Amino acid sequence: MGHADHPTHTQPPRTTASLPANGQPPTAIPSHEGHPHDPPPNPDGPRPTRRPEKWRRTLLATLLTAAIAAPLSGAARPQIPAPTPATLPPLTATTLPTTYETNRADAAQAARMAATHGAPHRATADQALASPSRHLLIFDGRGAGQATEVLGDLAHADHLAVLVPGSDTSLDTYARFHKAATALYTDLTHRAPRHTHVAVIAWLGYATPATVSSTVTTTTRADEAAPRLRAFVRQLRAATPPRTHISLLCHSYGSVVCGKAAPGLDADDIALVGSPGTGADSAAALHTRARIWAARGSDDWVEHVPHVRAHLFGTTFGFGTDPVSRAFGARVFDAAGTDHSGYFTPGSASLANLARITLGETSEVTRA
C-alpha cells in the first residue's frame, strides 16, 4: 500500500492494522476469550453465558478501526492542479497510439501545472509519465492521481498480466508500482516461449486507501473500485487478440478489490498475494470462472491480521477467510521467505510463480 503496501518499498514499522511493507506485524490486539475479569464457572449452577461470537467479531473489528484511526493527524493534503482527463476513443488495437499520445500530453501539462503550483515531487512524477517511452491507457493528475500503464505490445499480447495495487499507491508513489510491473515484465520476456508476446499493465485505476486510515480496514474503496476493474478488463478484451490469456495479480488491499470484482470478471486467473482477505469466505464464493491462486511469504506480517468480518453502521470491517487457508480453497503457491513488500522482487520464488501463472504454465507453479 503505497509506501506501506507497494510491493517494492519498505519503511519503518507503524502500529496499524493496514498493510505496511516493512514485513513487521502491527501491535497485537488481545483476545477477549479468557479475560482475567471474566467470572469463574459456578459449580453449583449454570455457567455464565459467554459473549456471542458475533459480538467478539464486532468488537475486534471496532478495535482494528480504532487502532488505525487514532494516529490520524487530520491534516488535509493540498490539492495539486491538473488538467481534466481528455475524452478518449473506445479502447481498441487501432486506437492505442492515439490514447498513448493524448495521455502523454496530459501528463506533460500536469507536470507544468504542478511545478507552477510549487509541487516539484508531483511535477517530476508527471514528467516521467510524459516520456515518449511510456504508454498510458489512463492518466488523471488530479488529487492523488490515477494512471494505467502498458509495458509491452498490448495489441498482440498472447499473455497479459494486470497488476492491482494496494493502499497508498498514488502518482506520488507510482515509481515503486512501476518498478514492480517492470520486474514482472522482464521476467516474462525471459521466460516466455519464442514468438510468444507478453504484456503487463500497471492498473492504478482507483482511489487507494491511505495506510493510516479507517478505510484500509473496510471494503468501501474496493466496492467502489470493483466495477471499474471489471469494465477495464472488458475493454482489454476489445484491444487484444481473441484468445489472450488475462491474469490479475492482486497485492494486499488490491486483493480485496479483485475479490469484489471477481463475479463476472472476464479473466483466466486471479492471483492474491499478501492478502488480508477478499471479502468472501471461499474461492467458490467469488463466483468467477477464473482460477484462484493465493500466496503469502513466511516473513509477511499480514499473517497476523485477524481474519474476521463484521458489519457496523452499514460498513463492512475486515475481509473474512484467509486466502491461503485450506478452508478458502485457493490454489496456494510458494512465495518462500517473501515479506509483505517482496512479491515482485527479481529472482524471488513468488515472482517466478506469478510469471508462470501469467503464462498459463499452471503445472510449473510450485505449490506451498
Side-chain angles (χ1 to χ4, degrees):
M1 299 186 195
H3 287 28
D5 190 38
H6 194 277
T8 59
H9 181 69
T10 60
Q11 69 175 32
R14 297 176 178 173
T15 302
T16 172
S18 58
L19 305 176
N22 53 28
Q24 298 298 318
T27 301
I29 298 176
S31 168
H32 281 67
E33 291 187 276
H35 192 283
H37 299 298
D38 286 345
N42 181 0
D44 300 318
R47 293 178 181 270
T49 302
R50 297 186 68 185
R51 182 175 298 165
E53 176 67 20
K54 67 177 181 179
W55 286 108
R56 288 205 304 274
R57 292 161 65 90
T58 300
L59 179 59
L60 180 55
T62 305
L63 290 172
L64 282 169
T65 303
I68 292 174
L72 288 176
S73 66
R77 176 178 174 174
Q79 291 294 308
I80 300 173
T84 301
T87 300
L88 297 168
L91 186 62
T92 66
T94 57
T95 62
L96 284 174
T98 299
T99 297
Y100 295 156
E101 182 179 355
T102 301
N103 283 322
R104 282 195 296 264
D106 276 2
Q109 184 181 355
R112 292 190 293 270
M113 294 174 71
T116 302
H117 186 71
H121 181 75
R122 173 62 67 83
T124 299
D126 290 341
Q127 191 59 51
L129 288 169
S131 167
S133 64
R134 309 296 283 268
H135 298 139
L136 302 176
L137 294 176
I138 298 169
F139 177 81
D140 185 350
R142 299 170 301 176
Q146 296 181 22
T148 296
E149 183 175 6
V150 177
L151 287 75
D153 184 357
L154 179 60
H156 298 96
D158 300 301
H159 297 274
L160 172 63
V162 179
L163 273 59
V164 181
S167 70
D168 272 345
T169 309
S170 67
L171 289 184
D172 294 318
T173 62
Y174 183 81
R176 290 184 287 272
F177 185 37
H178 179 259
K179 184 177 180 181
T182 300
L184 176 63
Y185 180 67
T186 300
D187 192 285
L188 286 171
T189 56
H190 287 116
R191 194 180 297 275
R194 190 177 181 184
H195 303 307
T196 297
H197 300 282
V198 296
V200 172
I201 292 179
W203 185 78
L204 176 54
Y206 77 109
T208 66
T211 298
V212 184
S213 72
S214 59
T215 54
V216 82
T217 62
T218 76
T219 63
T220 301
R221 293 292 177 90
D223 290 330
E224 295 168 353
R228 296 183 181 186
L229 183 55
R230 276 194 296 268
F232 178 68
V233 173
R234 284 196 300 270
Q235 293 169 5
L236 289 178
R237 288 296 183 190
T240 55
R243 295 185 180 180
T244 298
H245 177 271
I246 297 180
S247 301
L248 268 63
L249 312 183
C250 318
H251 179 251
S252 201
Y253 190 89
S255 66
V256 187
V257 175
C258 289
K260 291 294 184 177
L265 187 68
D266 191 7
D268 300 287
D269 289 276
I270 299 174
L272 316 168
V273 292
S275 174
T278 63
D281 291 326
S282 67
L286 294 176
H287 302 295
T288 177
R289 70 174 183 83
R291 288 178 291 249
I292 304 299
W293 304 81
R296 184 170 61 226
S298 60
D299 287 339
D300 188 342
W301 72 263
V302 81
E303 174 185 4
H304 303 289
V305 172
H307 292 284
V308 299
R309 187 168 63 252
H311 305 283
L312 292 172
F313 311 113
T315 300
T316 301
F317 293 86
F319 308 115
T321 306
D322 185 351
V324 300
S325 68
R326 184 182 298 272
F328 189 77
R331 303 178 183 212
V332 180
F333 62 94
D334 182 29
T338 297
D339 64 18
H340 194 66
S341 318
Y343 292 96
F344 294 86
T345 300
S348 65
S350 59
L351 182 63
N353 279 326
L354 289 168
R356 291 169 182 138
I357 290 169
T358 300
L359 292 171
E361 298 174 349
T362 57
S363 64
E364 302 299 317
V365 176
T366 58
R367 302 299 186 94

